Amino acid sequence: MLDAFSHFHFLRPWWLLAMVPMLAGYYALARRASAAGPFEASIAPHLLSHLMTGQEGRARLTPLRLLLPFIMVASVAAAGPTWELADTPEAPDDSAVVLVVDLSRSMDCEDVGPSRIGRARLKLLDLLEVRRGAPTGLIVVGGSAHIVMPLTDDVEALRPYIDVLAPDLMPTDGEAFAAAAPLVASLAGASDAPTTAILITDGIPPDGVDAFTAMAAETGVTLGVWAVGTDAGRPAEGLPGLDHTGIDRLGRDAGAEVIELSLGTGDLRQVQRLLDRSRRAAADADDARLWEDGGYALVPFLALIVSLWFRRGWVLPPASPAAVMLALAFGLPFITGCTDPRVMGVFMTPDQQGRYFLERGEYAEAGARFEDPMWKGAAFYAAGDWAEAKEAYRRVDTPVGLYNLGNAHAQARDIVSAIASYDRALARRPTYAEARANRDLLQGILDGLEESTDLEEYQQPPSREADSTAARLNEDQLLADEDRPVGADAERGDPESEVAEMSAELSDQWMQRVATTPADFLRAKFALQAVRGGR
């Protein structure tokens, strides 16, 4: 709790200055409410108290006395207090986590049931469920280190591999954490989101501690250790207990949080808090979209205070003409429904103005007001202004932004550019099902148009004249088979030369096709990678 409040700040701190004029108005009202006001200048204070009557029975709780707490609470609420990240489409849990699982022989120890690795598998599956949709990568460590899965938000793609994790998958036994550190750095470098590496292990050798400490200092990756096992171990079977030396040293040297395995969900909650801290540390404190606005929690208190004003006889003293004019100046734009940007800009941010028009179905006006490129693109897309939508989405260099850019290209009938945008989105997120479906659909349309339609003419937007700069197919795509350069079609080559020139990537693909289970595939993959690494 204290750690969460270490990130406490205000989303709109300038609203705190509203206390100054409001307190000045409160002071003016308090002076007007004083019955002694008209006589203070003529009668001495020590005599005035004896001359005033009828004050003993006055209520202690008056609207004027409640006005002061109302001013304070309203100003703080308008300033937007916050201390935790929002869980919204604008700010999903996009923090990346790399799971580094120890598959040394000691992880077969049964000091925790069913075994250390068996319990670790169950915990990892639980973690995937609570982080569904967040980027997660998987690395295993034995006598060598291997990437099982790069960062992906597809839980179902990771689940089969986690289900089969066992020490017998590794070609050799050992604890090659020093070799795993560069793999973590490579996955973290491929992600724009804050990255946390969690080591699931029963011990870390000294060279592994040094490697991860250096990697964390260089890349900024947050480290955590999920310690699996008991202190006793199984001495009769030659299996030691938890090696606290390396784990505790990593905590001291690299600031890694050590989380011990528990029977319940306490350790899982600790992991979630670790990931939340990583997100908060990397989030922009000035970006109101990323933080939960705590001002709404103060609304019930404001409503309670205001509700007392409905009591009979509860009225504030008449305000000065200046106060009335000030209230009208602030309230008139909302009363009259004024939508002038200069007037609305006093009370609303550009994105709030855009949302105002978006909810009213004025999409073009909303797109003109929005500053956030994603919202701007969505508004122009809804308005059917594909050119403006594309300009907005080009500023969003994320898989979702590229997917939306492809949709805008497709609506404008720029099929080739749409496919290129979908390809870029899939390169960032290979499991992006929507982008894959749209890309395949447009590719089928493109193939049909190439055979039966004037593609250049089709690609022109319906409301525009033909444009000589419209996208065209590449020259080699239009050549007949016999005119294509050698190597353009892999199936037309000599089979013997193809086998001789088979790349490592093709051999991996072949191996994946013949593997019968995820365990067989991983076992063969690790063995092949270990041999190549030895060479």
Side-chain angles (χ1 to χ4, degrees):
M1 189 67 175
L2 293 177
D3 179 76
F5 276 98
S6 66
H7 296 277
F8 180 88
H9 63 282
F10 290 100
L11 299 175
R12 301 171 293 274
W14 288 106
W15 271 102
L16 295 175
L17 295 178
M19 289 188 188
V20 176
M22 294 175 73
L23 289 176
Y26 170 79
Y27 177 72
L29 290 173
R31 286 184 60 84
R32 283 179 170 271
S34 174
F39 306 103
E40 286 179 347
S42 305
I43 303 176
H46 66 282
L47 298 176
L48 185 62
S49 60
H50 298 284
L51 295 175
M52 300 298 298
T53 60
Q55 305 297 312
E56 295 80 6
R58 297 183 66 177
R60 293 181 177 273
L61 190 62
T62 65
L64 183 59
R65 290 179 177 176
L66 287 175
L67 184 58
L68 182 59
F70 179 84
I71 289 172
M72 306 295 289
V73 175
S75 298
V76 172
T82 184
W83 57 91
E84 62 181 355
L85 292 172
D87 187 16
T88 67
E90 286 294 323
D93 184 3
D94 58 353
S95 57
V97 60
V98 179
L99 305 172
V100 184
V101 183
D102 184 357
L103 293 185
S104 60
R105 297 300 176 190
S106 61
M107 291 294 287
D108 266 335
C109 182
E110 297 179 356
D111 53 348
V112 292
S115 65
R116 292 178 181 177
I117 188 59
R119 180 65 63 83
R121 288 197 300 265
L122 297 175
K123 292 290 184 179
L124 292 179
L125 292 175
D126 290 340
L127 180 61
L128 288 183
E129 284 301 317
V130 299
R131 282 180 48 82
R132 181 176 288 272
T136 305
L138 179 61
I139 294 174
V140 295
V141 179
S144 53
H146 308 270
I147 297 177
V148 176
M149 181 72 70
L151 291 172
T152 177
D153 55 5
D154 187 355
V155 172
E156 302 307 321
L158 269 170
R159 188 187 301 277
Y161 297 107
I162 289 180
D163 280 335
V164 299
L165 290 181
D168 62 3
L169 297 179
M170 304 305 294
T172 56
D173 187 26
E175 295 178 327
F177 282 93
L183 300 182
V184 173
S186 67
L187 294 185
S191 173
D192 297 330
T195 303
T196 302
I198 300 179
L199 283 62
I200 300 93
T201 181
D202 54 10
I204 307 173
D207 60 340
V209 173
D210 295 337
F212 270 92
T213 301
M215 183 274 298
E218 181 179 349
T219 63
V221 171
T222 303
L223 295 179
V225 180
W226 208 340
V228 184
T230 63
D231 293 337
R234 287 289 186 93
E237 302 174 11
L239 296 174
L242 277 175
D243 179 12
H244 288 283
T245 304
I247 294 175
D248 293 342
R249 185 183 157 210
L250 187 63
R252 291 192 307 269
D253 295 353
E257 179 170 346
V258 178
I259 302 166
E260 294 191 3
L261 185 82
S262 67
L263 292 176
T265 59
D267 52 349
L268 188 61
R269 290 195 297 269
Q270 282 185 271
V271 173
Q272 289 180 270
R273 287 195 293 268
L274 172 64
L275 299 176
D276 286 341
R277 283 198 298 272
S278 177
R279 289 182 64 209
R280 285 195 295 267
D284 183 2
D286 297 328
D287 193 342
R289 299 169 303 149
L290 303 181
W291 297 89
E292 190 72 38
D293 192 339
Y296 293 105
L298 300 175
V299 171
F301 296 97
L302 294 174
L304 178 62
I305 296 174
V306 172
S307 66
L308 296 176
W309 262 277
F310 289 89
R311 295 181 60 183
R312 187 176 61 179
W314 275 48
V315 293
L316 286 173
S320 64
V324 174
M325 292 177 63
L326 184 63
L328 287 176
F330 275 87
L332 190 60
F334 297 102
I335 295 173
T336 61
C338 177
T339 58
D340 186 279
R342 293 170 296 180
V343 177
M344 296 185 71
V346 177
F347 310 97
M348 305 170 72
T349 67
D351 288 337
Q352 289 171 335
Q353 297 175 44
R355 187 62 179 267
Y356 174 88
F357 288 104
L358 188 68
E359 291 176 350
R360 284 155 180 78
E362 301 178 36
Y363 302 122
E365 184 65 26
R369 301 290 182 106
F370 274 122
E371 284 187 349
D372 182 89
M374 187 67 85
W375 279 108
K376 180 183 283 289
F380 280 125
Y381 190 95
D385 191 339
W386 317 125
E388 291 292 344
K390 288 188 287 186
E391 286 299 320
Y393 285 135
R394 285 192 183 99
R395 295 161 50 196
V396 186
D397 191 22
T398 64
V400 176
L402 293 170
Y403 168 73
N404 289 333
L405 177 59
N407 291 343
H409 278 303
Q411 292 287 1
R413 296 191 178 182
D414 190 352
I415 297 181
V416 175
S417 297
I419 292 175
S421 297
Y422 292 138
D423 285 338
R424 291 172 59 197
L426 291 169
R428 299 281 191 87
R429 187 189 294 177
T431 59
Y432 205 153
E434 293 85 354
R436 176 75 63 186
N438 286 6
R439 194 256 181 222
D440 293 344
L441 176 63
L442 289 185
Q443 187 63 54
I445 295 175
L446 183 64
D447 293 341
L449 289 173
E450 182 182 353
E451 297 177 359
S452 60
T453 308
D454 185 348
L455 182 60
E456 262 187 63
E457 180 180 350
Y458 177 83
Q459 286 180 325
Q460 305 305 321
S463 60
R464 298 182 182 178
E465 297 181 357
D467 184 0
S468 60
T469 62
R472 297 179 175 84
L473 293 176
N474 293 333
E475 208 171 86
D476 61 338
Q477 291 177 289
L478 302 176
L479 294 176
D481 285 347
E482 61 270 14
D483 296 328
R484 291 190 181 184
V486 177
D489 191 343
E491 295 182 0
R492 298 178 63 85
D494 180 21
E496 293 184 1
S497 63
E498 286 181 12
V499 173
E501 296 175 3
M502 180 178 289
S503 65
E505 181 179 357
L506 290 176
S507 64
D508 282 345
Q509 294 175 359
W510 173 82
M511 181 179 65
Q512 185 174 5
R513 287 198 300 270
V514 300
T516 57
T517 67
D520 293 335
F521 166 67
L522 290 179
R523 193 175 289 109
K525 174 182 176 180
F526 297 159
L528 182 60
Q529 289 178 342
V531 171
R532 289 176 183 166
R535 291 174 184 170

